[in-house]
Amino acid sequence: MLRAHLPARGSVLEIASGSGEHAAAFAAALPDLDWTPSDPSDQARDSIAAWSRQLAVSNLNPPLALDAGDPMTWPTDTFDALYCANMTHISPWSATEGLMDLAGRVLRRPGGLLALYGPYREAEVPLADSNAAFDASLKARNVDWGLRDREAVEAVARSHGLAATLRVQMPANNLILLFRAV
């Protein structure tokens, strides 16, 4: 699904890459994209580096020590796309605000793509029981975590020059939300 929206060639910054398994798979599947993973965790960056060594794909860059909530860690380079999966709900709201600020600063204009993947609350869609249980579980672990309202995410994106362009329903009650830099 993402392939249809990513540029044919260019650079992608992945936010909160976690173990790096997805970054390695994307880089291998999209050899004309220069993929840069990132994560604030030393352990995650070590795992990303291990995946990179295992697959030996030349377009997978070393991981950045990037924290979406800390502008001091943000790159100054520009990117054709940013990809972020499963971060907005497993982090404080300030990380989502930081992600949108970062995207507004580093995406090429016009047209740079921000792609988000994960579960969201939507005013017009009843919350699935599994997502309600997941939300409660997240909030029990950390009161600052939880499913975000799609409309609130779109509003903060707009405030950083990003227009919501597409909502795609995915398996397991997840969504892909696409935004373009205007």
Side-chain angles (χ1 to χ4, degrees):
M1 185 269 142
L2 262 181
R3 184 186 302 257
H5 301 280
L6 288 168
R9 296 184 185 286
S11 58
V12 179
L13 174 62
E14 182 179 3
I15 307 299
S17 301
S19 70
E21 185 174 359
H22 292 120
F26 278 124
L30 303 164
D32 292 328
L33 288 175
D34 187 38
W35 201 275
T36 302
S38 71
D39 204 281
S41 161
D42 291 336
Q43 183 179 10
R45 291 191 309 278
D46 289 346
S47 179
I48 295 166
W51 275 104
S52 181
R53 284 190 303 275
Q54 180 179 344
L55 290 183
V57 289
S58 62
N59 62 321
L60 182 58
N61 294 317
L64 301 178
L66 188 153
D67 181 337
D70 182 2
M72 297 302 294
T73 67
W74 297 352
T76 56
D77 298 337
T78 57
F79 295 87
D80 297 296
L82 267 67
Y83 175 70
C84 182
N86 294 317
M87 181 203 82
T88 62
H89 56 284
I90 308 177
S91 60
W93 176 247
S94 61
T96 299
E97 291 173 319
L99 171 65
M100 297 305 175
D101 188 7
L102 169 65
R105 291 180 191 209
V106 303
L107 280 175
R108 294 191 199 285
R109 294 185 183 275
L113 174 72
L114 169 62
L116 302 181
Y117 175 89
Y120 292 89
R121 291 180 172 275
E122 299 181 284
E124 69 277 9
V125 179
L127 188 63
D129 290 343
S130 60
N131 277 0
F134 184 45
D135 186 48
S137 164
L138 290 170
K139 290 177 179 173
R141 286 190 271 166
N142 186 318
V143 296
D144 294 328
W145 294 3
L147 273 61
R148 305 301 177 197
D149 292 330
R150 190 191 84 215
E151 294 79 9
V153 171
E154 290 175 353
V156 74
R158 269 191 310 278
S159 75
H160 292 285
L162 305 168
T165 58
L166 188 63
R167 172 205 176 273
V168 179
Q169 183 70 46
M170 299 299 288
N173 302 307
N174 287 300
L175 300 175
I176 287 184
L177 303 177
L178 300 183
F179 301 84
R180 292 284 179 179
V182 292

Short mmCIF file of all heavy atoms in Angstrom, two decimals, residues 20-62:
data_model
loop_
_atom_site.label_atom_id
_atom_site.label_comp_id
_atom_site.label_asym_id
_atom_site.label_seq_id
_atom_site.Cartn_x
_atom_site.Cartn_y
_atom_site.Cartn_z
N GLY A 20 14.09 -2.52 14.07
CA GLY A 20 14.71 -2.33 12.76
C GLY A 20 14.30 -3.35 11.72
O GLY A 20 14.68 -3.26 10.56
N GLU A 21 13.49 -4.31 12.11
CA GLU A 21 13.05 -5.34 11.18
C GLU A 21 12.28 -4.73 10.01
O GLU A 21 12.49 -5.09 8.86
CB GLU A 21 12.18 -6.36 11.92
CG GLU A 21 11.76 -7.53 11.08
CD GLU A 21 11.02 -8.59 11.87
OE1 GLU A 21 10.85 -8.44 13.10
OE2 GLU A 21 10.61 -9.57 11.24
N HIS A 22 11.40 -3.78 10.31
CA HIS A 22 10.63 -3.14 9.24
C HIS A 22 11.53 -2.26 8.37
O HIS A 22 11.38 -2.25 7.15
CB HIS A 22 9.48 -2.32 9.81
CG HIS A 22 8.42 -3.16 10.44
ND1 HIS A 22 8.07 -3.05 11.76
CD2 HIS A 22 7.65 -4.15 9.92
CE1 HIS A 22 7.13 -3.93 12.03
NE2 HIS A 22 6.86 -4.61 10.94
N ALA A 23 12.45 -1.53 8.98
CA ALA A 23 13.36 -0.68 8.21
C ALA A 23 14.15 -1.53 7.22
O ALA A 23 14.29 -1.17 6.04
CB ALA A 23 14.30 0.07 9.14
N ALA A 24 14.66 -2.66 7.68
CA ALA A 24 15.43 -3.54 6.80
C ALA A 24 14.56 -4.09 5.68
O ALA A 24 14.99 -4.15 4.52
CB ALA A 24 16.05 -4.67 7.62
N ALA A 25 13.33 -4.47 6.00
CA ALA A 25 12.43 -5.02 4.98
C ALA A 25 12.07 -3.95 3.95
O ALA A 25 12.05 -4.24 2.74
CB ALA A 25 11.18 -5.59 5.64
N PHE A 26 11.76 -2.74 4.42
CA PHE A 26 11.43 -1.66 3.49
C PHE A 26 12.63 -1.34 2.59
O PHE A 26 12.48 -1.17 1.38
CB PHE A 26 11.01 -0.39 4.24
CG PHE A 26 9.57 -0.39 4.67
CD1 PHE A 26 9.25 -0.19 6.00
CD2 PHE A 26 8.54 -0.54 3.75
CE1 PHE A 26 7.92 -0.17 6.41
CE2 PHE A 26 7.21 -0.52 4.15
CZ PHE A 26 6.89 -0.34 5.49
N ALA A 27 13.81 -1.23 3.18
CA ALA A 27 15.00 -0.91 2.39
C ALA A 27 15.26 -1.99 1.34
O ALA A 27 15.58 -1.68 0.19
CB ALA A 27 16.21 -0.72 3.29
N ALA A 28 15.10 -3.25 1.71
CA ALA A 28 15.32 -4.34 0.77
C ALA A 28 14.28 -4.33 -0.35
O ALA A 28 14.61 -4.58 -1.52
CB ALA A 28 15.31 -5.69 1.49
N ALA A 29 13.05 -4.01 -0.01
CA ALA A 29 11.97 -4.03 -1.01
C ALA A 29 11.95 -2.79 -1.88
O ALA A 29 11.39 -2.82 -2.98
CB ALA A 29 10.62 -4.17 -0.29
N LEU A 30 12.56 -1.70 -1.41
CA LEU A 30 12.53 -0.42 -2.13
C LEU A 30 13.96 0.08 -2.35
O LEU A 30 14.40 1.07 -1.75
CB LEU A 30 11.72 0.60 -1.32
CG LEU A 30 10.27 0.18 -1.01
CD1 LEU A 30 9.68 1.04 0.10
CD2 LEU A 30 9.42 0.23 -2.27
N PRO A 31 14.73 -0.58 -3.21
CA PRO A 31 16.16 -0.29 -3.34
C PRO A 31 16.48 1.11 -3.87
O PRO A 31 17.61 1.56 -3.70
CB PRO A 31 16.66 -1.37 -4.30
CG PRO A 31 15.44 -1.80 -5.05
CD PRO A 31 14.30 -1.65 -4.10
N ASP A 32 15.53 1.79 -4.47
CA ASP A 32 15.80 3.14 -4.97
C ASP A 32 15.50 4.22 -3.95
O ASP A 32 15.63 5.42 -4.24
CB ASP A 32 15.00 3.40 -6.26
CG ASP A 32 15.50 2.54 -7.41
OD1 ASP A 32 16.72 2.25 -7.44
OD2 ASP A 32 14.69 2.15 -8.26
N LEU A 33 15.10 3.81 -2.74
CA LEU A 33 14.89 4.76 -1.66
C LEU A 33 16.02 4.64 -0.65
O LEU A 33 16.37 3.53 -0.23
CB LEU A 33 13.54 4.52 -0.96
CG LEU A 33 12.31 4.90 -1.75
CD1 LEU A 33 11.05 4.50 -0.99
CD2 LEU A 33 12.29 6.39 -2.05
N ASP A 34 16.56 5.75 -0.26
CA ASP A 34 17.60 5.83 0.76
C ASP A 34 16.88 5.88 2.11
O ASP A 34 16.26 6.88 2.44
CB ASP A 34 18.42 7.10 0.50
CG ASP A 34 19.62 7.20 1.39
OD1 ASP A 34 20.26 6.17 1.65
OD2 ASP A 34 19.92 8.33 1.82
N TRP A 35 16.92 4.78 2.88
CA TRP A 35 16.12 4.62 4.10
C TRP A 35 16.98 4.89 5.33
O TRP A 35 18.00 4.24 5.54
CB TRP A 35 15.57 3.20 4.16
CG TRP A 35 14.38 3.07 5.06
CD1 TRP A 35 14.39 2.88 6.41
CD2 TRP A 35 13.01 3.16 4.68
NE1 TRP A 35 13.11 2.83 6.89
CE2 TRP A 35 12.24 2.99 5.84
CE3 TRP A 35 12.37 3.35 3.46
CZ2 TRP A 35 10.85 3.01 5.82
CZ3 TRP A 35 10.98 3.37 3.44
CH2 TRP A 35 10.24 3.20 4.61
N THR A 36 16.56 5.85 6.15
CA THR A 36 17.27 6.18 7.38
C THR A 36 16.38 5.87 8.58
O THR A 36 15.42 6.58 8.85
CB THR A 36 17.69 7.66 7.42
OG1 THR A 36 18.50 7.94 6.28
CG2 THR A 36 18.47 7.97 8.69
N PRO A 37 16.68 4.80 9.33
CA PRO A 37 15.92 4.49 10.53
C PRO A 37 16.38 5.36 11.70
O PRO A 37 17.47 5.96 11.66
CB PRO A 37 16.26 3.02 10.78
CG PRO A 37 17.62 2.84 10.19
CD PRO A 37 17.71 3.82 9.04
N SER A 38 15.54 5.43 12.72
CA SER A 38 15.91 6.19 13.92
C SER A 38 15.18 5.63 15.13
O SER A 38 14.11 5.03 15.01
CB SER A 38 15.56 7.68 13.75
OG SER A 38 14.17 7.87 13.79
N ASP A 39 15.76 5.84 16.28
CA ASP A 39 15.12 5.47 17.54
C ASP A 39 15.91 6.10 18.68
O ASP A 39 17.14 6.18 18.60
CB ASP A 39 15.08 3.95 17.73
CG ASP A 39 13.96 3.52 18.65
OD1 ASP A 39 14.12 3.64 19.88
OD2 ASP A 39 12.89 3.13 18.13
N PRO A 40 15.22 6.54 19.74
CA PRO A 40 15.96 7.12 20.87
C PRO A 40 16.66 6.07 21.73
O PRO A 40 17.57 6.39 22.50
CB PRO A 40 14.87 7.84 21.68
CG PRO A 40 13.60 7.16 21.32
CD PRO A 40 13.77 6.68 19.89
N SER A 41 16.30 4.80 21.58
CA SER A 41 16.84 3.72 22.42
C SER A 41 18.15 3.16 21.85
O SER A 41 18.20 2.75 20.69
CB SER A 41 15.80 2.60 22.52
OG SER A 41 16.40 1.39 22.93
N ASP A 42 19.18 3.11 22.69
CA ASP A 42 20.45 2.48 22.29
C ASP A 42 20.23 1.03 21.88
O ASP A 42 20.79 0.56 20.89
CB ASP A 42 21.46 2.52 23.44
CG ASP A 42 21.96 3.91 23.77
OD1 ASP A 42 21.91 4.79 22.89
OD2 ASP A 42 22.41 4.11 24.92
N GLN A 43 19.41 0.31 22.65
CA GLN A 43 19.15 -1.10 22.38
C GLN A 43 18.46 -1.25 21.02
O GLN A 43 18.82 -2.14 20.24
CB GLN A 43 18.28 -1.69 23.48
CG GLN A 43 18.01 -3.16 23.33
CD GLN A 43 17.17 -3.71 24.47
OE1 GLN A 43 16.63 -2.97 25.29
NE2 GLN A 43 17.05 -5.02 24.52
N ALA A 44 17.50 -0.39 20.72
CA ALA A 44 16.83 -0.46 19.41
C ALA A 44 17.82 -0.18 18.29
O ALA A 44 17.82 -0.89 17.27
CB ALA A 44 15.67 0.52 19.37
N ARG A 45 18.66 0.83 18.46
CA ARG A 45 19.64 1.15 17.41
C ARG A 45 20.62 0.01 17.20
O ARG A 45 21.02 -0.28 16.06
CB ARG A 45 20.34 2.48 17.70
CG ARG A 45 19.40 3.68 17.55
CD ARG A 45 20.14 5.00 17.56
NE ARG A 45 21.05 5.17 18.67
CZ ARG A 45 20.70 5.55 19.91
NH1 ARG A 45 19.44 5.83 20.19
NH2 ARG A 45 21.62 5.68 20.85
N ASP A 46 21.00 -0.69 18.27
CA ASP A 46 21.86 -1.87 18.12
C ASP A 46 21.15 -2.96 17.31
O ASP A 46 21.77 -3.61 16.46
CB ASP A 46 22.28 -2.42 19.49
CG ASP A 46 23.26 -1.54 20.23
OD1 ASP A 46 23.86 -0.63 19.60
OD2 ASP A 46 23.43 -1.75 21.45
N SER A 47 19.87 -3.14 17.58
CA SER A 47 19.09 -4.13 16.84
C SER A 47 18.95 -3.73 15.36
O SER A 47 19.08 -4.59 14.47
CB SER A 47 17.70 -4.29 17.47
OG SER A 47 16.94 -5.23 16.75
N ILE A 48 18.72 -2.45 15.11
CA ILE A 48 18.64 -1.96 13.73
C ILE A 48 19.95 -2.25 12.99
O ILE A 48 19.95 -2.73 11.86
CB ILE A 48 18.32 -0.45 13.70
CG1 ILE A 48 16.93 -0.17 14.27
CG2 ILE A 48 18.44 0.10 12.28
CD1 ILE A 48 16.68 1.31 14.60
N ALA A 49 21.06 -1.97 13.65
CA ALA A 49 22.37 -2.22 13.04
C ALA A 49 22.56 -3.71 12.75
O ALA A 49 23.11 -4.08 11.71
CB ALA A 49 23.48 -1.69 13.94
N ALA A 50 22.08 -4.58 13.64
CA ALA A 50 22.18 -6.02 13.42
C ALA A 50 21.35 -6.45 12.21
O ALA A 50 21.82 -7.25 11.39
CB ALA A 50 21.74 -6.78 14.67
N TRP A 51 20.15 -5.91 12.08
CA TRP A 51 19.32 -6.22 10.90
C TRP A 51 20.02 -5.73 9.63
O TRP A 51 20.00 -6.41 8.61
CB TRP A 51 17.95 -5.56 11.02
CG TRP A 51 16.97 -6.39 11.78
CD1 TRP A 51 16.55 -6.21 13.07
CD2 TRP A 51 16.29 -7.56 11.32
NE1 TRP A 51 15.67 -7.19 13.44
CE2 TRP A 51 15.49 -8.03 12.37
CE3 TRP A 51 16.29 -8.25 10.12
CZ2 TRP A 51 14.69 -9.16 12.26
CZ3 TRP A 51 15.49 -9.38 9.99
CH2 TRP A 51 14.70 -9.82 11.06
N SER A 52 20.61 -4.58 9.70
CA SER A 52 21.31 -4.02 8.54
C SER A 52 22.48 -4.92 8.13
O SER A 52 22.67 -5.19 6.94
CB SER A 52 21.81 -2.61 8.87
OG SER A 52 22.46 -2.05 7.77
N ARG A 53 23.23 -5.39 9.10
CA ARG A 53 24.36 -6.29 8.80
C ARG A 53 23.85 -7.60 8.20
O ARG A 53 24.44 -8.13 7.27
CB ARG A 53 25.18 -6.57 10.06
CG ARG A 53 26.08 -5.43 10.47
CD ARG A 53 27.05 -5.84 11.57
NE ARG A 53 26.38 -6.35 12.76
CZ ARG A 53 25.92 -5.58 13.75
NH1 ARG A 53 26.04 -4.26 13.71
NH2 ARG A 53 25.34 -6.12 14.81
N GLN A 54 22.77 -8.13 8.75
CA GLN A 54 22.23 -9.41 8.30
C GLN A 54 21.76 -9.33 6.85
O GLN A 54 22.03 -10.22 6.06
CB GLN A 54 21.08 -9.85 9.20
CG GLN A 54 20.48 -11.18 8.80
CD GLN A 54 19.36 -11.61 9.72
OE1 GLN A 54 19.20 -11.11 10.82
NE2 GLN A 54 18.56 -12.56 9.26
N LEU A 55 21.05 -8.25 6.49
CA LEU A 55 20.52 -8.15 5.13
C LEU A 55 21.48 -7.50 4.15
O LEU A 55 21.35 -7.68 2.94
CB LEU A 55 19.20 -7.37 5.13
CG LEU A 55 18.02 -8.08 5.78
CD1 LEU A 55 16.77 -7.25 5.66
CD2 LEU A 55 17.79 -9.46 5.16
N ALA A 56 22.42 -6.73 4.66
CA ALA A 56 23.45 -6.08 3.83
C ALA A 56 22.86 -5.35 2.64
O ALA A 56 23.29 -5.54 1.51
CB ALA A 56 24.50 -7.10 3.39
N VAL A 57 21.86 -4.49 2.92
CA VAL A 57 21.30 -3.67 1.84
C VAL A 57 21.98 -2.30 1.88
O VAL A 57 22.13 -1.69 2.93
CB VAL A 57 19.76 -3.53 1.95
CG1 VAL A 57 19.09 -4.85 1.62
CG2 VAL A 57 19.33 -3.07 3.32
N SER A 58 22.42 -1.86 0.72
CA SER A 58 23.24 -0.64 0.66
C SER A 58 22.44 0.64 0.90
O SER A 58 23.02 1.67 1.22
CB SER A 58 23.95 -0.56 -0.69
OG SER A 58 22.99 -0.48 -1.73
N ASN A 59 21.13 0.60 0.77
CA ASN A 59 20.32 1.81 0.92
C ASN A 59 19.76 1.97 2.33
O ASN A 59 18.95 2.86 2.58
CB ASN A 59 19.18 1.82 -0.11
CG ASN A 59 18.22 0.66 0.07
OD1 ASN A 59 18.64 -0.46 0.37
ND2 ASN A 59 16.95 0.91 -0.15
N LEU A 60 20.19 1.14 3.27
CA LEU A 60 19.77 1.27 4.67
C LEU A 60 20.89 1.95 5.45
O LEU A 60 21.96 1.38 5.66
CB LEU A 60 19.45 -0.10 5.28
CG LEU A 60 18.96 -0.10 6.72
CD1 LEU A 60 17.69 0.74 6.88
CD2 LEU A 60 18.70 -1.53 7.19
N ASN A 61 20.65 3.19 5.84
CA ASN A 61 21.66 3.99 6.54
C ASN A 61 21.76 3.59 8.01
O ASN A 61 20.84 2.99 8.57
CB ASN A 61 21.29 5.47 6.45
CG ASN A 61 21.36 5.97 5.03
OD1 ASN A 61 22.29 5.65 4.30
ND2 ASN A 61 20.37 6.74 4.63
N PRO A 62 22.86 3.95 8.65
CA PRO A 62 22.96 3.71 10.09
C PRO A 62 21.85 4.46 10.82
O PRO A 62 21.44 5.54 10.40
CB PRO A 62 24.33 4.29 10.46
CG PRO A 62 25.10 4.30 9.17
CD PRO A 62 24.07 4.54 8.09
#
